[in-house]
Amino acid sequence: EQQIAGENDYHPGDRIECRYQSRRREFVVAGLVTTPEYLMLTPDRFTMFVDPETFGVVFLDSERAGEWLGTGRSISEIHTLVDPGHKEEVREKLHGLCSSYGVDTSFTQEEQPSVKLLRMDQEGLRSMSVFFPILFLGASGLFLYVALSRIVRLQVRVIGTLRALGLSSRQVLLQYLVQALLMTQAGAIPGAIVGHFLTLGMGEMYVQYLKLPFVLSDVRWDTILAGLAMAAGTGMASAWIPARMAARLSPAVAMRGDVEGEGSLRGAFLRWTQRVRVMYRIPLRGLLRKPSRTLLAMAGIAGGAMIIILTLGQFVAFGTAMEEYLGESRSYQLDVAFVMPGREEVATGAAGMDGVHAVSKSLSLPVSVRSNWGEAELMLTGLERGQRLQRIKAKGGGWVEVSPGEIWLPEKIAQRLRVDVGDPLHVEWAKASRARPVDAYFTLGGISQAAMGGAAYGEYDDIDRSLGEHAYPYTGYAVQIDCDPDVAPRLKRMLERSEYVGGVVTSAEIEEQIGEQTAALYGYILLLLAFGEVLAGSAIHTVATVSLIERTRELATLRSLGLSAGATAGLASIELYVMAVLGLIAGIPAGAVTNTAFIESFSTEQMSFPSTLPPWVFAATAILVLLTVSYSSWRGRKTLASMDLSQATKARE
């Protein structure tokens, strides 16, 4: 299979030695294979990260394989192609036929380990493809709403004249809806073209990540048409309120140019501002001088803050999970896997070497855990009591502490099984059968909160005695070694020479493998982050700029009365900063809630990313928003300094 070939630099024509127990065979590499069964390289559905340098697949002639492995002509697997809708029926019949021989496991194509992991990976991408377009279209809708509201205000006297000349309200409504449709399609059509090429680029990245030999680059007209339709729908929804406002204007009101009512709340606020100094009264009165403008600005700033929090939240979630998995929970440099039990002394003998600090044993096997409320399959790991090389977070704080007779379950699985600490659990080896029953009873010792992995944990000797030794050779035995980084390569080479060692993986290799597997996801998030930051900045800058433009006459009048451009811009900036603070007050909590919902949307029992945001995310969001407002204020100051006061004082707001 091409992944292990690439990692070990194998090429067609090379001679390689394979070993099964004491049987050694030499083979010639005939070619490289890409197989759907191993798009996501994994030996089973419980193992998330595998080093392709030490795990791989080879394909042999069945007779030669039976001769080498000592299985003769016996059949170890049956593959069936069935008509749609008959999968479970066929599987049940095959179970009945094979029950006397013992069935290790069975699954449909959808349950095949590589397919299952691939779909889990795509579920995360699917969640992003829903959340982010909603935010982006929401921001785009806000831009359009601001633009059309501004157009209606500028054209209000024209609307009044046309209504007075006999134009119906329906015709006015249709005019602005068609205008919005043209504006959205003018942006959506080139956006669809650019999006198609970005899709090809992201597809190439994903294909390289999966190491596929090809990528489909056909134009997806259904996706493009769906995007254009969503753009049109966003345009219609955003234009409806401004268009209705224009259509419902009576000729008399429109000719007067007043589309804002006074309102009791506004009047009370304006009376309150009489108590403050004149220099602060002007920006405060501006907040309710046009309530719609203030609400738009606050909504734009809140939406921008939500986008920033959501994009930063993804980096925090993935970064925290990786740091926990690679740093906090793993305090060793070598993970040594054995081909048979009872040979751990090969590695424990290294404990006396210079530079070796600690050694601990572990074992793992797939199990089915049952309660009165359900069943769950997961990997059960046995850890030595008191060891500190593998530390798993416990719910409520602290670390998992294993004891005989108890197992710890991940939080999501414990919730699904409806069990609490002290409840009984029936644990059975996942490949047990009537011919080979392997099971035991435990109590729930506690609940773990590991971000990645989703395994159950128990005490090493207890798990080995009750399950592990009975399930061999399907039980994996291993030793973890904590040593100096410069000692690890030499110790790895020494251990690999032992015939009892199946493989040795360093922490650096695991970190590199995880980095490769998450590179595509990080690339996708980086692209979304770039779009998110542009949209957030655009939303804030747009509403701030419109707020300044709509107050041109007022600000120009202040200039004419002797205020400098800097002082006038400062008054306008106070109003913008007040709106920014109000927008942040609304946007930051909304962003935190949205981030939690987004993280939970693609969390699984195998991967549960933390949704808690550190304080620096909120601080960074506030700083980015305020910097954008400062930029808008700076641009406004330049505009005020260069404006023609004689013309500006005549402008309509």
Side-chain angles (χ1 to χ4, degrees):
E1 202 274 332
Q2 49 93 26
Q3 295 184 67
I4 192 171
E7 289 293 327
N8 292 277
D9 198 28
Y10 296 152
H11 303 280
D14 290 350
R15 303 186 71 85
I16 60 173
E17 183 184 74
C18 297
R19 182 182 65 205
Y20 175 70
Q21 295 180 351
S22 60
R23 304 187 186 99
R24 300 172 183 269
R25 292 292 186 276
E26 194 174 69
F27 297 95
V28 176
V29 178
L32 306 182
V33 175
T34 297
T35 168
E37 289 186 312
Y38 291 99
L39 290 180
M40 302 289 283
L41 192 65
T42 178
D44 52 58
R45 62 185 181 277
F46 306 106
T47 306
M48 295 181 58
F49 300 108
V50 177
D51 182 10
E53 184 179 348
T54 57
F55 172 80
V57 183
V58 296
F59 298 84
L60 306 174
D61 174 80
S62 59
E63 292 187 7
R64 297 292 179 272
E67 176 187 318
W68 171 37
L69 302 176
T71 58
R73 294 181 176 272
S74 62
I75 298 173
S76 60
E77 290 186 2
I78 297 176
H79 298 250
T80 60
L81 180 64
V82 302
D83 294 332
H86 295 276
K87 292 180 181 178
E88 292 302 325
E89 177 187 352
V90 171
R91 177 155 66 171
E92 290 179 6
K93 290 182 178 179
L94 286 175
H95 268 273
L97 291 171
C98 301
S99 59
S100 60
Y101 300 98
V103 179
D104 285 343
T105 186
S106 67
F107 45 76
T108 62
Q109 187 181 52
E110 293 77 12
E111 297 168 342
Q112 199 269 340
S114 179
V115 174
K116 192 171 183 178
L117 286 179
L118 181 62
R119 291 191 174 180
M120 286 173 55
D121 187 57
Q122 292 177 331
E123 281 296 325
L125 298 177
R126 185 176 292 112
S127 298
M128 293 183 185
S129 68
V130 172
F131 269 85
F132 280 92
I134 289 175
L135 289 177
F136 294 165
L137 288 174
S140 302
L142 178 64
F143 299 162
L144 185 59
Y145 179 83
V146 170
L148 286 176
S149 298
R150 174 67 177 162
I151 290 172
V152 170
R153 294 182 188 284
L154 290 175
Q155 297 178 351
V156 65
R157 286 194 173 91
V158 176
I159 295 170
T161 302
L162 294 174
R163 290 297 311 279
L165 292 175
L167 203 67
S168 68
S169 60
R170 183 176 180 180
Q171 289 173 309
V172 173
L173 176 69
L174 185 61
Q175 151 71 22
Y176 285 101
L177 289 178
V178 171
Q179 186 173 356
L181 181 62
L182 292 175
M183 293 171 66
T184 54
Q185 295 307 301
I189 291 174
I193 296 172
V194 175
H196 170 68
F197 288 104
L198 284 176
T199 299
L200 294 181
M202 293 299 294
E204 288 284 355
M205 289 178 56
Y206 199 62
V207 163
Q208 291 177 8
Y209 159 57
L210 295 176
K211 296 181 174 61
L212 288 175
F214 60 89
V215 59
L216 297 177
S217 56
D218 297 337
V219 178
R220 294 297 302 268
W221 291 109
D222 55 342
T223 303
I224 292 175
L225 292 176
L228 295 177
M230 286 191 289
T234 302
M236 295 296 99
S238 304
W240 181 254
I241 294 178
R244 287 278 293 175
M245 180 177 66
R248 299 176 69 175
L249 284 174
S250 65
V253 173
M255 294 295 289
R256 190 171 68 242
D258 184 15
V259 294
E260 293 276 5
E262 287 295 325
S264 58
L265 180 61
R266 178 184 174 192
F269 181 81
L270 294 178
R271 286 192 297 273
W272 175 80
T273 59
Q274 300 294 329
R275 304 176 184 178
V276 301
R277 295 176 57 183
V278 175
M279 294 302 294
Y280 299 110
R281 189 184 309 165
I282 293 173
L284 289 176
R285 286 168 63 90
L287 290 174
L288 283 186
R289 193 163 183 269
K290 280 189 170 60
S292 61
R293 179 182 62 197
T294 301
L295 291 175
L296 278 174
M298 290 173 55
I301 291 169
M306 288 177 61
I307 292 175
I308 294 172
I309 289 175
L310 192 55
T311 49
L312 292 178
Q314 309 322 302
F315 281 98
V316 171
F318 286 106
T320 302
M322 294 301 175
E323 182 180 354
E324 176 188 319
Y325 184 77
L326 296 173
E328 295 181 7
S329 64
R330 304 168 64 91
S331 301
Y332 55 87
Q333 279 66 49
L334 294 178
D335 192 353
V336 186
F338 295 92
V339 296
M340 60 184 66
R343 299 299 180 178
E344 295 91 332
E345 64 269 16
V346 174
T348 54
M353 292 180 56
D354 293 337
V356 176
H357 309 299
V359 176
S360 70
K361 298 185 294 184
S362 68
L363 65 85
S364 60
L365 73 160
V367 297
S368 174
V369 180
R370 297 187 183 91
S371 72
N372 292 331
W373 299 98
E375 179 180 352
E377 288 191 351
L378 71 166
M379 189 68 75
L380 175 60
T381 299
L383 302 175
E384 284 190 301
R385 198 172 184 180
Q387 63 84 34
R388 287 293 180 267
L389 299 189
Q390 294 188 72
R391 299 190 301 172
I392 313 301
K393 282 188 175 181
K395 184 179 180 181
W399 306 99
V400 169
E401 297 289 346
V402 295
S403 298
E406 299 179 346
I407 63 169
W408 289 63
L409 290 179
E411 183 177 16
K412 286 185 178 294
I413 290 182
Q415 290 174 352
R416 178 155 66 86
L417 298 181
R418 302 184 191 181
V419 292
D420 206 345
V421 176
D423 289 348
L425 295 168
H426 179 214
V427 180
E428 183 181 38
W429 175 44
K431 299 182 179 182
S433 64
R434 284 184 295 177
R436 193 177 181 183
V438 179
D439 64 340
Y441 286 89
F442 298 89
T443 59
L444 183 61
I447 298 175
S448 63
Q449 272 190 323
M452 302 174 67
Y457 296 92
E459 198 271 331
Y460 178 88
D461 291 323
D462 187 31
I463 300 298
D464 190 28
R465 183 174 55 254
S466 59
L467 297 172
E469 63 185 27
H470 303 290
Y472 179 77
Y474 297 96
T475 304
Y477 292 88
V479 164
Q480 291 74 43
I481 301 176
D482 177 29
C483 62
D484 293 335
D486 57 340
V487 174
R490 176 165 52 89
L491 187 55
K492 176 183 178 180
R493 290 192 297 270
M494 182 189 75
L495 290 169
E496 285 177 333
R497 288 195 292 267
S498 170
E499 62 178 335
Y500 303 118
V501 174
V504 183
V505 182
T506 67
S507 295
E509 291 168 343
I510 295 175
E511 186 173 353
E512 181 182 356
Q513 175 67 13
I514 292 177
E516 290 179 358
Q517 293 193 7
T518 57
L521 187 59
Y522 272 116
Y524 189 60
I525 293 178
L526 278 173
L527 182 63
L528 293 177
L529 178 62
F531 277 118
E533 294 300 326
V534 170
L535 280 172
S538 300
I540 297 167
H541 183 64
T542 297
V543 295
T545 302
V546 169
S547 179
L548 289 173
I549 292 174
E550 290 190 343
R551 299 184 61 194
T552 298
R553 186 174 64 184
E554 176 187 338
L555 298 174
T557 302
L558 294 175
R559 287 285 317 277
S560 301
L561 293 175
L563 266 70
S564 65
T568 307
L571 292 176
S573 297
I574 293 175
E575 181 180 340
L576 290 178
Y577 281 113
V578 171
M579 289 189 293
V581 171
L582 294 175
L584 286 170
I585 291 174
I588 287 179
V593 171
T594 304
N595 180 73
T596 300
F598 175 63
I599 292 296
E600 291 179 352
S601 70
F602 65 87
S603 293
T604 66
E605 293 178 350
Q606 292 291 322
M607 302 181 72
S608 181
F609 295 104
S611 59
T612 304
L613 296 172
W616 70 262
V617 171
F618 305 117
T621 300
I623 290 172
L624 288 172
V625 168
L626 294 176
L627 285 176
T628 306
V629 172
S630 298
Y631 172 76
S632 301
S633 300
W634 174 74
R635 296 280 299 181
R637 178 174 181 175
K638 293 184 66 176
T639 302
L640 290 172
S642 60
M643 72 168 48
D644 185 342
L645 298 181
S646 62
Q647 296 296 323
T649 51
K650 302 175 185 178
R652 290 186 62 253
E653 295 189 0

